[in-house]
Coordinates of all heavy atoms in Angstrom, one line a residue:
M822 N -61.5 60.8 0.6 CA -61.4 59.3 0.5 C -62.1 58.7 1.7 O -61.9 59.2 2.8 CB -59.9 59.0 0.6 CG -59.5 57.6 0.4 SD -57.7 57.5 0.2 CE -57.6 55.7 0.4
P823 N -62.9 57.7 1.5 CA -63.6 57.1 2.6 C -62.7 56.3 3.5 O -61.6 55.9 3.2 CB -64.6 56.2 1.9 CG -63.9 55.9 0.6 CD -63.1 57.1 0.2
P824 N -63.1 56.3 4.8 CA -62.3 55.5 5.8 C -62.3 54.0 5.4 O -63.2 53.5 4.8 CB -63.0 55.7 7.1 CG -64.4 56.2 6.8 CD -64.3 56.8 5.4
T825 N -61.1 53.4 5.6 CA -61.0 52.0 5.3 C -60.8 51.2 6.5 O -60.3 51.7 7.5 CB -59.8 51.8 4.3 OG1 -58.6 52.3 5.0 CG2 -59.9 52.5 3.0
S826 N -61.1 50.0 6.4 CA -60.8 49.1 7.6 C -59.7 48.2 7.3 O -59.4 47.9 6.1 CB -62.1 48.3 7.9 OG -62.4 47.4 6.8
G827 N -59.1 47.6 8.3 CA -57.9 46.7 8.1 C -56.7 47.3 8.7 O -56.7 48.2 9.4
I828 N -55.6 46.7 8.2 CA -54.3 47.1 8.8 C -53.5 47.9 7.7 O -53.4 47.5 6.5 CB -53.4 45.8 9.1 CG1 -54.2 45.1 10.2 CG2 -52.1 46.2 9.6 CD1 -53.5 43.7 10.6
G829 N -53.0 49.0 8.1 CA -52.2 49.8 7.2 C -50.8 49.8 7.6 O -50.3 50.7 8.3
I830 N -50.1 48.7 7.3 CA -48.7 48.5 7.7 C -47.8 48.9 6.6 O -48.1 48.6 5.4 CB -48.4 47.0 8.1 CG1 -47.0 46.9 8.7 CG2 -48.6 46.1 7.0 CD1 -46.8 45.6 9.4
G831 N -46.8 49.6 6.9 CA -45.8 50.1 5.9 C -44.8 49.1 5.6 O -44.6 48.1 6.3
I832 N -44.1 49.3 4.5 CA -43.1 48.4 4.0 C -42.0 48.3 5.1 O -41.4 47.2 5.3 CB -42.5 48.8 2.7 CG1 -43.5 48.8 1.6 CG2 -41.3 48.0 2.3 CD1 -43.9 47.5 1.1
D833 N -41.6 49.4 5.7 CA -40.6 49.4 6.7 C -40.9 48.6 7.9 O -40.1 47.9 8.4 CB -40.2 50.9 7.1 CG -41.4 51.7 7.4 OD1 -42.5 51.2 7.4 OD2 -41.2 52.9 7.7
R834 N -42.2 48.7 8.3 CA -42.6 47.9 9.5 C -42.6 46.4 9.1 O -42.3 45.5 9.9 CB -44.0 48.3 10.0 CG -44.1 49.8 10.3 CD -43.5 50.0 11.7 NE -43.6 51.5 12.0 CZ -43.1 52.0 13.1 NH1 -42.6 51.3 14.0 NH2 -43.2 53.3 13.2
L835 N -43.0 46.1 7.9 CA -43.1 44.7 7.4 C -41.6 44.2 7.4 O -41.4 43.0 7.8 CB -43.7 44.7 6.0 CG -44.0 43.3 5.5 CD1 -44.9 42.5 6.4 CD2 -44.5 43.4 4.1
A836 N -40.7 45.0 6.9 CA -39.3 44.6 6.9 C -38.8 44.3 8.3 O -38.0 43.4 8.5 CB -38.4 45.6 6.2
M837 N -39.2 45.1 9.3 CA -38.8 44.9 10.7 C -39.3 43.6 11.2 O -38.6 42.8 11.8 CB -39.4 46.0 11.6 CG -38.7 47.3 11.6 SD -39.5 48.5 12.6 CE -39.4 47.8 14.2
L838 N -40.6 43.2 10.8 CA -41.1 42.0 11.2 C -40.4 40.8 10.6 O -40.1 39.8 11.3 CB -42.6 41.9 10.9 CG -43.6 42.5 11.8 CD1 -45.0 42.5 11.2 CD2 -43.6 41.8 13.1
M839 N -40.1 40.9 9.3 CA -39.5 39.8 8.6 C -38.0 39.6 9.0 O -37.5 38.4 9.0 CB -39.6 40.0 7.1 CG -41.0 40.0 6.6 SD -41.2 40.4 4.9 CE -40.4 39.0 4.1
T840 N -37.3 40.6 9.3 CA -35.9 40.5 9.7 C -35.7 40.4 11.2 O -34.5 40.1 11.6 CB -35.1 41.7 9.1 OG1 -35.6 42.9 9.7 CG2 -35.1 41.7 7.6
G841 N -36.7 40.6 12.0 CA -36.6 40.5 13.4 C -35.8 41.7 14.0 O -35.2 41.6 15.1
K842 N -35.7 42.8 13.4 CA -35.0 44.0 13.9 C -35.9 44.7 14.9 O -37.1 45.0 14.6 CB -34.6 44.9 12.8 CG -33.7 44.3 11.7 CD -32.3 44.0 12.3 CE -31.4 43.5 11.2 NZ -30.1 43.1 11.6
P843 N -35.3 45.1 16.0 CA -36.2 45.8 17.0 C -36.4 47.3 16.7 O -37.3 47.9 17.2 CB -35.4 45.6 18.3 CG -34.0 45.5 17.9 CD -34.0 44.8 16.5
F844 N -35.5 47.9 15.9 CA -35.6 49.4 15.6 C -35.8 49.6 14.2 O -35.1 49.0 13.3 CB -34.3 50.1 16.1 CG -34.0 49.9 17.6 CD1 -32.9 49.0 17.9 CD2 -34.8 50.5 18.5 CE1 -32.7 48.8 19.3 CE2 -34.5 50.3 19.9 CZ -33.4 49.4 20.2
I845 N -36.6 50.6 13.9 CA -36.9 50.9 12.5 C -35.7 51.5 11.7 O -35.6 51.3 10.5 CB -38.2 51.8 12.4 CG1 -38.7 51.8 10.9 CG2 -37.8 53.2 12.8 CD1 -40.1 52.4 10.8
Q846 N -34.8 52.1 12.5 CA -33.6 52.7 11.9 C -32.7 51.7 11.2 O -32.0 51.9 10.3 CB -32.8 53.5 12.9 CG -33.4 54.8 13.4 CD -33.4 55.8 12.3 OE1 -34.5 55.9 11.6 NE2 -32.4 56.5 12.1
E847 N -32.8 50.4 11.7 CA -32.0 49.3 11.2 C -32.5 48.8 9.8 O -31.8 48.1 9.1 CB -32.0 48.2 12.2 CG -31.3 48.6 13.5 CD -31.3 47.5 14.5 OE1 -32.0 46.5 14.3 OE2 -30.7 47.6 15.5
V848 N -33.7 49.1 9.4 CA -34.3 48.6 8.2 C -34.6 49.7 7.1 O -34.9 49.4 6.0 CB -35.6 47.8 8.4 CG1 -35.2 46.6 9.2 CG2 -36.7 48.6 9.0

Side-chain angles (χ1 to χ4, degrees):
M822 183 169 168
T825 58
S826 64
I828 298 175
I830 187 167
I832 298 284
D833 48 3
R834 303 283 178 177
L835 188 61
M837 280 177 62
L838 277 172
M839 293 175 68
T840 58
K842 300 289 183 183
F844 303 107
I845 197 165
Q846 288 294 95
E847 296 175 351
V848 297

